[in-house]
Amino acid sequence: MHRLGEKQCRLFTLISKQSPKRILPFSFFHSNPDPTPKEQQLLIDAISESLQNRDNWDTLSTKFSSSNLSDSLIHKILLRFKHPETAKRALTFFHWSSRHTPNLRHGVSSYALAIHILVRARLLIDARALIESSLLSNSSSSDLLDSLLDTYEVSSSTPLVFDLLVQGYAKLRLLESGFDVFKKLTERGFSLSVITLNTLIHVSAKSDRIDLVWRIYEAAIGKRLYPNEATIEILIGALCKEGKLKEIVGLLDKIHGERCSPPVIVNTMLILKVLEEDRIDEGMSLLKRLLQKNMVLDTIGYSLVVYARVKQMDLVNARKVFDEMIQRGFDANAFVYTAFIKVYCEMSDIDEAERLFAEMDGSGIDSYDETFNSLIFGCAKLRREGESLKYCEMMVARGLLPSRYAFNEMVERLSKIENVIRANEILTKLIERGFVPDESTYSHLIQGFVKGNDIEQALKVFYEMEYRNISPGFEVFRSLIVGLCACGKVEAGEKYFRIMKRRLIQPNAEIYEALIKAFQKSDSKTNADRVYDDTISIR
């Protein structure tokens, strides 16, 4: 065995000088599917020497035509060329080895080693190509990351490899997977570049994944990866895309009293998004970090803390923060007052809400739509319909439009005909200013007029509804038919009954009963029996 080993050594030493025909003994020897460790080492040395001598693919294929290339062997050869000056030979071997053996498919760990070597040598175009190839060929999104982490030390790599990895995910639009990798890397202490952050959020915004844009930015701030000018531009664009820029700018004007810079706009929006998801602790942690970096103004910071405490229903501490804000020389603002007013309305403490509204008004602070919507809805919910109408009229007088939700709630709760008339008059003004009513708006008005025995006005509202191409639903027809029958206009009631059925809206027992009783009361037994037979036929 010792003599055979010596012959093999001499053969490998001379192999590059022999003609292809004289390499047959070597090739035949290495067709052995289960070579010994010594044979493997000899093969590694021979291939490495050929690469060192810059042999081309044809020469390599001729020399090692029958050699078995295992993953372990490939890894060892790659690591021999891990230094920047020999990285191109590692790349040559990586590509040649996949072509050399038709059935060979590089494992993810082979990709990882090759990528590390190329990144360290700053062969970034080649490294990106291998990253993308690996991501497309591996089903699990974490395989490449795990292999890169496992081979990071042995390849003497640099953190840049992980920036390229996340950027690769972004380029391939594998955004959720890219974000998962982004989080895993930052959690393990790797500092990714702001360029990587910008790439990930830019592609997310272009892909209409605005929700993901803010999740990525939140994660970045949480790991102290702060934005640059390009980041802010991307985020402002995302705000425009989701139609929120005007809203947040207007809100900041109410808090700060003047126009804020783009970074302040973006960072305030981030905190508000987190707080609106009821993630109060996370929001406060982010706010603290942004305040420490002077990325949010103090007056905005105080206002957001008050808002957070109010959302937690911690009104005692919310008031303490509000008082501290005033003592430190910051002005009270509409945003903070509205936060208090809204929560008191939700708690059905309308008296305290109205007291705060009066205090706000007396201080010369302009109320805005959410302030009035809260009062309109809160008063309506407690059947204080006169006050609800008062705030709605006050709102309109100040050039503001109520939300459809608040207006519909108010109209639904009206019990007095004079208040229904007032609401109808308000609606006329609102429509002139761009308010868009829906089926519920008209349905509640029609029901209000029917209850107030003003059938003619109910019919006018119905015609207006039809004119605006808003299809009446079951409740509209039920109110009209029952109301018409109750006031003796059974023929008109039956007319709408027929319209209802033509539109495939199924009448209920109340409607049939109203028609039958109305026909019986008018001594029209034949019609009453006909309607009764109709009820029997559909059972």
Side-chain angles (χ1 to χ4, degrees), residues 251-292:
L251 184 62
L252 285 171
D253 287 349
K254 295 176 180 67
I255 295 174
H256 186 55
E258 57 187 62
R259 190 55 46 90
C260 294
S261 66
V264 172
I265 292 170
V266 162
N267 293 320
T268 304
M269 190 69 204
L270 172 64
I271 302 301
L272 281 172
K273 281 181 176 289
V274 175
L275 295 179
E276 285 166 4
E277 293 172 3
D278 290 325
R279 296 190 290 121
I280 307 301
D281 291 341
E282 293 96 320
M284 292 298 93
S285 176
L286 287 169
L287 178 60
K288 181 179 179 181
R289 191 155 291 168
L290 291 168
L291 285 167
Q292 288 171 343

Side-chain angles (χ1 to χ4, degrees), residues 90-91 97 101 112 207 242 246-247 283 287 351 414 419 448 469-470:
L91 181 62
S97 58
T101 308
S207 302
E242 64 178 330
K246 184 178 180 181
E247 178 184 328
L287 178 60
D351 292 336
L414 298 178
N419 287 336
N469 291 320
I470 299 175

Side-chain angles (χ1 to χ4, degrees), residues 194-206 210 213-214 217 227-242 262 266:
V194 71
I195 294 172
T196 297
L197 169 65
N198 292 348
T199 302
L200 199 51
I201 63 172
H202 173 68
V203 177
S204 298
K206 282 185 67 177
I210 306 301
V213 168
W214 293 104
Y217 186 56
N228 61 11
E229 187 175 340
T231 320
I232 300 301
E233 287 180 5
I234 297 167
L235 292 168
I236 290 292
L239 282 171
C240 291
K241 204 164 190 177
E242 64 178 330
V266 162

Side-chain angles (χ1 to χ4, degrees), residues 280 302-303 305-324 335-350 352-353 355-356:
I280 307 301
Y302 268 113
S303 299
V305 173
V306 172
Y307 178 67
R309 297 291 170 253
V310 167
K311 282 188 72 66
Q312 290 179 309
M313 303 300 286
D314 185 1
L315 300 183
V316 173
N317 281 319
R319 188 72 206 195
K320 286 180 181 177
V321 176
F322 177 71
D323 291 340
E324 181 184 329
F335 174 72
V336 171
Y337 267 114
T338 297
F340 280 115
I341 289 169
K342 184 176 181 180
V343 76
Y344 281 119
C345 287
E346 290 170 354
M347 294 167 61
S348 299
D349 190 350
I350 296 299
E352 180 61 17
R355 187 194 70 76
L356 287 169

Side-chain angles (χ1 to χ4, degrees), residues 10 29 71 84 86 113 129-130 152 162 201 206 214 218 328 337 343 348 350 359 367 370 404 440 461 488 510 524:
R10 286 197 297 273
F29 183 83
D71 284 340
T86 57
L113 277 172
L130 290 191
Y152 184 76
F162 299 116
I201 63 172
K206 282 185 67 177
W214 293 104
E218 178 188 345
R328 290 195 59 186
Y337 267 114
V343 76
S348 299
I350 296 299
E359 180 181 307
S367 306
E370 191 169 352
R404 197 160 55 194
S440 295
V461 174
E510 182 188 4
S524 183

